[in-house]
Amino acid sequence: MTAAVEAEVGRARRRKEDARLITGRTRWTDNLTLPGMLHLAILRSPVAHARIAAVDTSAAEAMPGVLAVLTGVDLAKEQGSMGCAWPVTPDMAAPQHPAMAVDTVRYAGEAVALVVAASAYQARDALDAIDVEYADLPVVLDVTRALAADSPLVHPEFGSNRCATWVFDSAEAGTGGETAPAIADAEVVLRRRFRQQRIIPAFMEPRSVLVDPTGDQVTMWSATQVPHILRMMLAATLGLPEHKLRVIAPDVGGGFGGKLQVTPEEVLVLLAARRLGRPVKYTETRSDSMLSCHHGRDQFQDLTLAARPDGTITALEVELLADLGAYLGLLTPGIPLLGAFMFNGIYRIPAYRFTCTSVFTNKMYTDAVRGAGRPEATFGIERMMDELAAELGLDPLEVRRRNWIGHEQFPFTTVAGLTYDSGNYEAATDRATELFDYQGLRREQARRREQDDPTLLGIGVSTYTEMCGIAPSKVLGSLSFGAGGWEHAAIRMLPTGKVEVVTGSSPHGQGHETAWSQIVADRLGVPFEDVEVLHGDTQISPRGMDTYGSRSLAVGGVAVLLAADRVLDKARPVAAHLLGCAAEDLDFAAGRFTARGTENGVSIQEVTGAVFAAHDLPDGFEPNLDAQATFDPENFSFPHGTHLCAVEVDTETGAVKIRSYVCVDDVGTVVNPLIVDGQVHGGVVHGIAQALFEEASYDELGNLTTGTFADYLLPTAADLPHLVTDRTVTPATSNPLGAKGVGESGTIAATPAVVNAVVDAVRHLGVTDIEMPCTPQRVWRAIGGGA
Amino acid sequence: MIPVAFDYLAPSTVDEAVRALVDAGEDAKVLAGGQSLLPVLRMRLAAPSMVVDLSRVGELRGVREEGDELVIGAMTSHHDVLRDQLVRTHALLLAEATTTVADPQVRHRGTLGGALAHADPAGDLPAPVLALGGDVVLAGPTGRRTVPVERFFVDYFTTELAQDELLVEIRLPKRTGWGARYEKFSRVAQAWSTVAVAATVLVRDGRFVEAKVALTNMGAVPVRAYAVEEALVGGSADADAIHAAARHAAEGTNPTSDASADAEYRQHLARVLTARALTAAAAV
Ligand SMILES: Cc1cc2nc3c(=O)[nH]c(=O)nc-3n(C[C@H](O)[C@H](O)[C@H](O)COP(=O)(O)OP(=O)(O)OC[C@H]3O[C@@H](n4cnc5c(N)ncnc54)[C@H](O)[C@@H]3O)c2cc1C
């Protein structure tokens, strides 16, 4: 590579998409208006579990502007059942999942009727005129209660609320020993129960769907992360021919996993538009969103860790009780299982057993939220490492050092069966402790304790790794996942030398347009400004597996790189022809082919022009430089890092303040450091938010009590510390870019770092855990307040 | 989120506004800054048939002095209260409390009158106004009446205001040279109070000459912590006295329990925050 080429990848470019995204002067779905467009509103169940005894829509139908009022009964024949793409076990209970409840509602917020009217106002007004009679059924909200023999049943046809039990055992898998004897023989055995509270993805742009059924093809615009999956799943759910359906994800304002879903709303808008033969739009309100976008996490973790007195871990057992809510969304039952491969973290653990029992309750269903399974696992193991350190009187970093995989041991096959290709935990930890002033803070902590300072200091450690860049298709297949994990890209060389990059990734805030342009500008040696990235429309980008699981760069970005290489391969004989030399005698640098040893050259953009004209090409050359590539990774990527958090705990009020936060992440090759820092910042904040603020709760009747941002607390800049970020760079060996994912790593790492810090601050007062979120009241009670 | 349809009037005088309320009857709502009313309408917690917007009633804006009193127009925005030198000089506690309200956007639209008329138990402005003492002036079809602040707040989201009355101004006795502190506890920075304590004190020669303390969100309405005040006045302004007095802060209170805090914890917070508020107000 020449200097100019190197300058593009690794350059901290400002994101080219930001101006339009930040000002909102762009194509958000709700900004779109079509001629004759109608508006749809949804009536949602106010009760968590009931039979729908009667629905009277006559008054609503008579309201001004109303064109249709539809109930589940009206749609029963055509709505099919919402698909779940991840049947985790052969005997998994997979209930019918109607887009609109037909005879029974199973969670508060479930759709029971819809109105289509000329204006959004008229549609909303008519909702109040629909009369639904509910015959209440008993509600079950707690997972343990749900498994009791006498529990009310969410889906009586299964005779139990258990959805599936999934087991991984290292002895059976041949990746390690048996846990039971290791635990029985261990000198140190720690058992802890942790709770992962329920959280809501809280993307900035509410979900919005517009369907145009006119003409031969149905077109759907949706604020989704997954236009390609959506198209496929809608075709399957509704029996629509896939080629008669076009899905467009225009600019999308955030997702955090919450828009990795095929939603009842999308189905309902499509059905309504098809019935009425006119375009129909639905945009949810924030209150609708809190109730009915899928939630995340919600599990109990029972962990048993066995160790020798020197801190060497000998076995780990994990039992999860996962609350799935009332139905299965796209990936619902698989999300907790993603943790199965991550509970062992960065450590050498000789024996490991993981069991997950997943359970139905009368709540909104859970599914992927940023990190999806991996934050839960990382929380579990990183909390246990701090517990082990405390039990043995060792420094938490020292316990980790004694167990982690040394940098010289890569590639390393873990007890969970994954092969970590690369990493350097020592380097990241050394750098983090230095930036953090670890020893200085430890001294201050001791001093405050000695002086009975009402403000205590706590230090939390999280040395995480995660599997991302989802995923090798073969691995997905072995996990019974419903699709592959490849990604596709195409490059179109335009006659004037400009370049269009078509990607199957579907950005919703990540900055792909900038990063992909950098990759292509780098590889082809064309100006950054000459590259346009197209995405999110199944007609423009027909092949794609979309954006989630920190897969875009490590899979989609690699496909772009490979496609660029193919453009060059195609261009080479033309350049040789134009320069009158043999293809083997060409050099390529900074966008120019030169005949080796001469000044004689031609740029890739000139070659493109020549191919377009096609007047003078090598014999038999097909006049087209466009190229495509589909990349299926051979392995996940494994970003890792060390996060250190210092908190101050006000023992009088229980309030927790983050005093400093240092993260040193290793995400392999960095295409754009500004984007990486942004992802780390956002991710860490998301993780802090789970530790201290966010919690979705239901009352004993199953009503969501955190349905607005006044009750569902998200931190703002005013609640957060300055984040100190740095990096080590150990390129991934599993893709030619050397890139690892970064979209979720901060979220995965931060939550245990913060909770470890809070517990560390008050551990000398006899505290071994504080349930998340660590609210002031919970902290105050943990240290004996009110006792 | 879409409110129920309503008619809208934007009068330019208090008299016109009152007449509009009388004409509209039971179903009218006054709109000030809209920072509380709009969410209420959009969530359909209220469905007025008429909204009377006060934003064009110029006479309701601004701060002025009248003798020993500071007079603040009901439509004075939080932002303008904060920037006002008279408020800073004579009612420092109100300025201190107003800085904790929401964010700059909300403070540019929300008004002092609206915050008092809304009477949210977690709202941050009723308690400081109660601590400062004084009166609110209400205008109705039969003229104006003056109500002492301690009688203005009746219950959750309920005040002395009749359906056809407007809150026109807030009259506060000048507390010139008094120290003040609004000690707010909330789970995130931009939010209503879990509990807060409004304290303003006059200290001379190391003794509390006067002390006024009121609590936010310790009941349906803001409450004066009389026992704390009594314990302080005449005593020396030192840490021991403050801590002894603060122990009385939760006496007679009946706070709610919710997801952020149960009643016992709120009472504990009231004591802790009272000590902190007094320490800062008295500069101990
Ligand atoms: C995001 C956000 C955060 C907030 N955070 C806080 C906070 O931290 N602390 C806090 O204290 N408040 C907070 N608020 C509320 C804010 O302070 C409001 O401005 C205030 O409560 C209401 O003032 P307003 O002028 O907007 O009144 P409006 O919303 O217009 O009216 C509120 C109520 O008072 C009535 N009303 C208003 N003016 C009069 C009048 N002159 N005569 C008779 N009736 C009248 C209205 O009819 C209505 O019932 C927040 C608001 C928002 C949107």
Side-chain angles (χ1 to χ4, degrees), chain A residues 120-121 124-125 128 285 287 650 652-653 655 692-693 708 710 713-716 718-719 773 775-777 780-781 786, chain B residues 1-5 42-44 185 187-192 243 258-262 264-265 268-269 272-273 276:
Chain A
Y121 297 84
R124 174 62 188 88
D125 284 346
D128 288 348
T285 65
S287 309
D650 176 344
E652 290 182 338
T653 63
L692 298 181
F693 302 106
T708 73
L713 299 184
L714 298 175
T716 63
D719 301 293
T775 64
Q777 175 170 303
W780 178 70
R781 288 224 190 279
Chain B
M1 287 204 276
I2 296 172
V4 173
R42 287 158 63 99
M43 296 178 87
R44 300 198 171 203
F185 192 87
R187 284 197 44 211
V188 290
Q190 285 153 6
W192 290 261
H243 282 95
D258 59 29
S260 285
D262 62 28
E264 183 191 23
Y265 177 60
H268 167 77
L269 282 180
V272 172
L273 302 177
R276 291 181 183 183

Side-chain angles (χ1 to χ4, degrees), chain A residues 313 347 381-389 399-400 403:
Chain A
I313 299 169
Y347 309 109
I381 185 65
E382 289 304 299
R383 282 285 297 109
M384 286 309 265
M385 294 309 283
D386 263 35
E387 292 302 301
L388 181 61
V399 170
R400 286 168 169 85
N403 286 286

Side-chain angles (χ1 to χ4, degrees), chain A residues 425-459:
Chain A
Y425 309 138
E426 298 91 330
T429 304
D430 287 349
R431 180 72 185 131
T433 45
E434 181 188 327
L435 288 170
F436 189 67
D437 186 18
Y438 187 80
Q439 295 307 337
L441 286 166
R442 282 282 177 221
R443 284 193 294 275
E444 180 182 334
Q445 174 179 46
R447 195 167 60 237
R448 283 176 187 262
R449 282 185 188 174
E450 274 160 30
Q451 293 172 352
D452 272 333
D453 192 323
T455 303
L456 293 170
L457 191 70
I459 296 169

Side-chain angles (χ1 to χ4, degrees), chain B residues 169-206:
Chain B
E169 59 195 31
I170 297 96
R171 309 182 73 94
L172 300 173
K174 287 183 183 168
R175 308 278 187 204
T176 321
W178 290 43
R181 173 74 184 178
Y182 188 68
E183 190 71 28
K184 173 168 173 171
F185 192 87
S186 58
R187 284 197 44 211
V188 290
Q190 285 153 6
W192 290 261
S193 287
T194 305
V195 173
V197 176
T200 189
V201 297
L202 184 63
V203 176
R204 218 174 271 139
D205 304 330

Side-chain angles (χ1 to χ4, degrees), chain A residues 477-528:
Chain A
S478 72
L479 293 173
S480 316
F481 186 77
W486 45 265
E487 191 50 271
H488 184 76
I491 293 185
R492 306 203 288 242
M493 302 300 291
L494 304 184
T496 56
K498 310 292 185 198
V499 183
E500 282 179 340
V501 178
V502 177
T503 176
S505 303
S506 199
H508 40 283
Q510 294 86 347
H512 294 2
E513 289 173 30
T514 301
W516 281 205
S517 297
Q518 288 180 267
I519 291 171
V520 170
D522 185 309
R523 208 59 159 200
L524 297 184
V526 300
F528 173 82

